[in-house]
Amino acid sequence: MLWARALQSRLAARGSTVDVQLAHPGWAVTNIQNATGVAVLDRMVTRICRGFGQSAADGALPILESAVADRPPLTYLGPGGFQRWRGLPQLQQPSPLARDDDAAGAVWDLGSRETGTDLTG
């Protein structure tokens, strides 16, 4: 979120009409939770996750809506249901730290320094 905030700031400073959107899928039951390498354990984990997670297709909804909806820059969407793990896309409120411009600048600078790229312009 901080990197996205810094990117949006730089795009706006250049007069770009591109805007940055934020989204998360909640708990989408995909094979990503099956990381044990033990088939029977992975099946158990999937079965348990289905109890509180949502399908991969439903998890994609906030991302898809962020991509096509006309919203202000840095709008944050995620599932609106139980623990924000599942449900239809809903506006979310980023944490105070995620809205900190100084922290966003520091993340941008760190990324530039660690990758050896000049992303300041």
mmCIF file of all heavy atoms in Angstrom, residues 1 12 23-25 27 30 32 43 55-57 61 68 75 78 80 83 85-87 93 119-120:
data_model
loop_
_atom_site.group_PDB
_atom_site.id
_atom_site.type_symbol
_atom_site.label_atom_id
_atom_site.label_comp_id
_atom_site.label_asym_id
_atom_site.label_seq_id
_atom_site.Cartn_x
_atom_site.Cartn_y
_atom_site.Cartn_z
ATOM 1 N N MET A 1 0.817 -1.187 0.000
ATOM 2 C CA MET A 1 0.000 0.000 0.000
ATOM 3 C C MET A 1 0.863 1.254 0.000
ATOM 4 O O MET A 1 0.520 2.232 -0.659
ATOM 5 C CB MET A 1 -0.929 0.006 1.193
ATOM 6 C CG MET A 1 -2.058 -0.962 1.092
ATOM 7 S SD MET A 1 -3.152 -0.747 2.500
ATOM 8 C CE MET A 1 -4.615 -1.428 1.811
ATOM 9 N N ALA A 12 0.718 11.471 -10.366
ATOM 10 C CA ALA A 12 -0.020 12.738 -10.322
ATOM 11 C C ALA A 12 0.914 13.928 -10.564
ATOM 12 O O ALA A 12 0.544 14.876 -11.264
ATOM 13 C CB ALA A 12 -0.734 12.880 -8.980
ATOM 14 N N ALA A 23 -6.620 -3.336 -3.798
ATOM 15 C CA ALA A 23 -7.639 -4.364 -3.597
ATOM 16 C C ALA A 23 -7.008 -5.593 -2.964
ATOM 17 O O ALA A 23 -5.809 -5.840 -3.114
ATOM 18 C CB ALA A 23 -8.286 -4.744 -4.926
ATOM 19 N N HIS A 24 -7.827 -6.350 -2.244
ATOM 20 C CA HIS A 24 -7.373 -7.639 -1.719
ATOM 21 C C HIS A 24 -8.493 -8.656 -1.873
ATOM 22 O O HIS A 24 -9.672 -8.304 -1.855
ATOM 23 C CB HIS A 24 -6.895 -7.524 -0.266
ATOM 24 C CG HIS A 24 -7.979 -7.388 0.745
ATOM 25 N ND1 HIS A 24 -8.573 -8.476 1.349
ATOM 26 C CD2 HIS A 24 -8.589 -6.298 1.259
ATOM 27 C CE1 HIS A 24 -9.493 -8.050 2.201
ATOM 28 N NE2 HIS A 24 -9.525 -6.729 2.157
ATOM 29 N N PRO A 25 -8.138 -9.935 -2.033
ATOM 30 C CA PRO A 25 -9.131 -10.971 -2.297
ATOM 31 C C PRO A 25 -9.785 -11.563 -1.055
ATOM 32 O O PRO A 25 -10.662 -12.410 -1.181
ATOM 33 C CB PRO A 25 -8.322 -12.043 -3.018
ATOM 34 C CG PRO A 25 -6.966 -11.925 -2.398
ATOM 35 C CD PRO A 25 -6.779 -10.430 -2.160
ATOM 36 N N TRP A 27 -9.859 -14.133 1.966
ATOM 37 C CA TRP A 27 -9.310 -15.486 2.046
ATOM 38 C C TRP A 27 -9.912 -16.277 0.897
ATOM 39 O O TRP A 27 -11.020 -16.787 0.981
ATOM 40 C CB TRP A 27 -9.660 -16.146 3.371
ATOM 41 C CG TRP A 27 -8.878 -17.403 3.582
ATOM 42 C CD1 TRP A 27 -8.884 -18.522 2.795
ATOM 43 C CD2 TRP A 27 -7.958 -17.670 4.621
ATOM 44 N NE1 TRP A 27 -8.037 -19.465 3.285
ATOM 45 C CE2 TRP A 27 -7.446 -18.965 4.421
ATOM 46 C CE3 TRP A 27 -7.521 -16.940 5.718
ATOM 47 C CZ2 TRP A 27 -6.521 -19.545 5.272
ATOM 48 C CZ3 TRP A 27 -6.607 -17.528 6.563
ATOM 49 C CH2 TRP A 27 -6.113 -18.816 6.334
ATOM 50 N N THR A 30 -7.557 -21.268 -2.749
ATOM 51 C CA THR A 30 -6.849 -21.696 -3.949
ATOM 52 C C THR A 30 -5.855 -22.766 -3.507
ATOM 53 O O THR A 30 -5.865 -23.184 -2.356
ATOM 54 C CB THR A 30 -6.101 -20.520 -4.594
ATOM 55 O OG1 THR A 30 -5.086 -20.084 -3.682
ATOM 56 C CG2 THR A 30 -7.047 -19.360 -4.901
ATOM 57 N N ILE A 32 -2.821 -22.193 -3.049
ATOM 58 C CA ILE A 32 -1.690 -21.533 -2.396
ATOM 59 C C ILE A 32 -1.545 -21.969 -0.933
ATOM 60 O O ILE A 32 -0.449 -21.978 -0.389
ATOM 61 C CB ILE A 32 -1.785 -20.000 -2.523
ATOM 62 C CG1 ILE A 32 -0.436 -19.366 -2.248
ATOM 63 C CG2 ILE A 32 -2.854 -19.431 -1.600
ATOM 64 C CD1 ILE A 32 -0.351 -17.921 -2.637
ATOM 65 N N ARG A 43 -5.078 -31.640 1.611
ATOM 66 C CA ARG A 43 -6.528 -31.793 1.450
ATOM 67 C C ARG A 43 -7.266 -31.362 2.719
ATOM 68 O O ARG A 43 -8.311 -30.724 2.654
ATOM 69 C CB ARG A 43 -6.886 -33.241 1.092
ATOM 70 C CG ARG A 43 -6.628 -33.566 -0.371
ATOM 71 C CD ARG A 43 -7.253 -34.889 -0.788
ATOM 72 N NE ARG A 43 -6.821 -36.042 -0.017
ATOM 73 C CZ ARG A 43 -5.726 -36.765 -0.261
ATOM 74 N NH1 ARG A 43 -4.952 -36.466 -1.287
ATOM 75 N NH2 ARG A 43 -5.423 -37.794 0.501
ATOM 76 N N SER A 55 -14.438 -18.819 -2.669
ATOM 77 C CA SER A 55 -13.858 -19.368 -3.890
ATOM 78 C C SER A 55 -12.858 -18.380 -4.494
ATOM 79 O O SER A 55 -12.900 -17.175 -4.221
ATOM 80 C CB SER A 55 -14.958 -19.663 -4.902
ATOM 81 O OG SER A 55 -15.496 -18.458 -5.411
ATOM 82 N N ALA A 56 -11.983 -18.914 -5.324
ATOM 83 C CA ALA A 56 -11.023 -18.055 -6.028
ATOM 84 C C ALA A 56 -11.762 -17.046 -6.906
ATOM 85 O O ALA A 56 -11.349 -15.883 -6.998
ATOM 86 C CB ALA A 56 -10.076 -18.909 -6.859
ATOM 87 N N ALA A 57 -12.859 -17.479 -7.531
ATOM 88 C CA ALA A 57 -13.639 -16.564 -8.383
ATOM 89 C C ALA A 57 -14.203 -15.413 -7.559
ATOM 90 O O ALA A 57 -14.152 -14.249 -7.978
ATOM 91 C CB ALA A 57 -14.758 -17.324 -9.083
ATOM 92 N N LEU A 61 -13.221 -10.870 -7.314
ATOM 93 C CA LEU A 61 -14.172 -9.765 -7.534
ATOM 94 C C LEU A 61 -13.655 -8.390 -7.113
ATOM 95 O O LEU A 61 -13.806 -7.422 -7.861
ATOM 96 C CB LEU A 61 -15.509 -10.079 -6.867
ATOM 97 C CG LEU A 61 -16.301 -11.226 -7.501
ATOM 98 C CD1 LEU A 61 -17.566 -11.497 -6.693
ATOM 99 C CD2 LEU A 61 -16.618 -10.949 -8.950
ATOM 100 N N VAL A 68 -11.937 -2.025 -13.182
ATOM 101 C CA VAL A 68 -12.882 -1.482 -14.162
ATOM 102 C C VAL A 68 -13.768 -0.349 -13.649
ATOM 103 O O VAL A 68 -14.321 0.401 -14.437
ATOM 104 C CB VAL A 68 -13.775 -2.597 -14.758
ATOM 105 C CG1 VAL A 68 -12.926 -3.651 -15.447
ATOM 106 C CG2 VAL A 68 -14.662 -3.221 -13.704
ATOM 107 N N THR A 75 -8.380 4.072 -4.045
ATOM 108 C CA THR A 75 -9.558 3.438 -3.457
ATOM 109 C C THR A 75 -9.170 2.007 -3.101
ATOM 110 O O THR A 75 -8.481 1.329 -3.860
ATOM 111 C CB THR A 75 -10.734 3.455 -4.446
ATOM 112 O OG1 THR A 75 -11.095 4.813 -4.687
ATOM 113 C CG2 THR A 75 -11.934 2.696 -3.902
ATOM 114 N N GLY A 78 -12.128 -4.671 -0.815
ATOM 115 C CA GLY A 78 -11.937 -6.036 -0.357
ATOM 116 C C GLY A 78 -13.280 -6.612 0.017
ATOM 117 O O GLY A 78 -14.299 -5.904 0.000
ATOM 118 N N GLY A 80 -16.489 -7.636 1.966
ATOM 119 C CA GLY A 80 -17.146 -6.917 3.043
ATOM 120 C C GLY A 80 -17.749 -7.796 4.116
ATOM 121 O O GLY A 80 -18.327 -7.287 5.067
ATOM 122 N N GLN A 83 -14.962 -10.973 8.874
ATOM 123 C CA GLN A 83 -13.543 -10.649 9.062
ATOM 124 C C GLN A 83 -12.878 -10.078 7.803
ATOM 125 O O GLN A 83 -11.671 -10.103 7.675
ATOM 126 C CB GLN A 83 -12.773 -11.898 9.516
ATOM 127 C CG GLN A 83 -13.176 -12.445 10.851
ATOM 128 C CD GLN A 83 -12.804 -11.517 11.982
ATOM 129 O OE1 GLN A 83 -11.704 -10.978 12.023
ATOM 130 N NE2 GLN A 83 -13.720 -11.314 12.906
ATOM 131 N N TRP A 85 -12.799 -11.510 5.147
ATOM 132 C CA TRP A 85 -12.216 -12.680 4.484
ATOM 133 C C TRP A 85 -13.053 -13.118 3.298
ATOM 134 O O TRP A 85 -12.570 -13.793 2.404
ATOM 135 C CB TRP A 85 -12.114 -13.863 5.445
ATOM 136 C CG TRP A 85 -11.097 -13.706 6.511
ATOM 137 C CD1 TRP A 85 -10.081 -12.802 6.579
ATOM 138 C CD2 TRP A 85 -10.991 -14.496 7.680
ATOM 139 N NE1 TRP A 85 -9.360 -12.982 7.721
ATOM 140 C CE2 TRP A 85 -9.905 -14.023 8.425
ATOM 141 C CE3 TRP A 85 -11.726 -15.567 8.186
ATOM 142 C CZ2 TRP A 85 -9.510 -14.580 9.627
ATOM 143 C CZ3 TRP A 85 -11.332 -16.129 9.392
ATOM 144 C CH2 TRP A 85 -10.235 -15.633 10.102
ATOM 145 N N ARG A 86 -14.341 -12.797 3.310
ATOM 146 C CA ARG A 86 -15.242 -13.255 2.259
ATOM 147 C C ARG A 86 -16.341 -12.227 2.072
ATOM 148 O O ARG A 86 -16.543 -11.370 2.924
ATOM 149 C CB ARG A 86 -15.820 -14.623 2.617
ATOM 150 C CG ARG A 86 -16.628 -14.619 3.898
ATOM 151 C CD ARG A 86 -17.126 -15.988 4.331
ATOM 152 N NE ARG A 86 -17.833 -16.652 3.273
ATOM 153 C CZ ARG A 86 -17.832 -17.967 3.067
ATOM 154 N NH1 ARG A 86 -17.178 -18.749 3.859
ATOM 155 N NH2 ARG A 86 -18.494 -18.493 2.072
ATOM 156 N N GLY A 87 -17.030 -12.333 0.958
ATOM 157 C CA GLY A 87 -18.149 -11.445 0.702
ATOM 158 C C GLY A 87 -17.939 -10.605 -0.542
ATOM 159 O O GLY A 87 -16.900 -10.652 -1.191
ATOM 160 N N GLN A 93 -10.959 0.682 4.601
ATOM 161 C CA GLN A 93 -10.189 1.821 5.091
ATOM 162 C C GLN A 93 -8.765 1.356 5.377
ATOM 163 O O GLN A 93 -8.561 0.533 6.268
ATOM 164 C CB GLN A 93 -10.827 2.386 6.367
ATOM 165 C CG GLN A 93 -10.108 3.590 6.918
ATOM 166 C CD GLN A 93 -10.207 4.783 5.983
ATOM 167 O OE1 GLN A 93 -11.208 5.056 5.375
ATOM 168 N NE2 GLN A 93 -9.125 5.525 5.869
ATOM 169 N N LEU A 119 14.110 5.419 -9.330
ATOM 170 C CA LEU A 119 12.670 5.541 -9.475
ATOM 171 C C LEU A 119 12.164 6.864 -8.912
ATOM 172 O O LEU A 119 10.988 7.011 -8.646
ATOM 173 C CB LEU A 119 11.980 4.379 -8.757
ATOM 174 C CG LEU A 119 12.347 2.976 -9.259
ATOM 175 C CD1 LEU A 119 11.710 1.925 -8.370
ATOM 176 C CD2 LEU A 119 11.941 2.796 -10.696
ATOM 177 N N THR A 120 13.070 7.811 -8.731
ATOM 178 C CA THR A 120 12.673 9.062 -8.086
ATOM 179 C C THR A 120 12.015 10.030 -9.045
ATOM 180 O O THR A 120 11.286 10.909 -8.616
ATOM 181 C CB THR A 120 13.894 9.760 -7.455
ATOM 182 O OG1 THR A 120 14.866 10.009 -8.484
ATOM 183 C CG2 THR A 120 14.499 8.899 -6.367
#
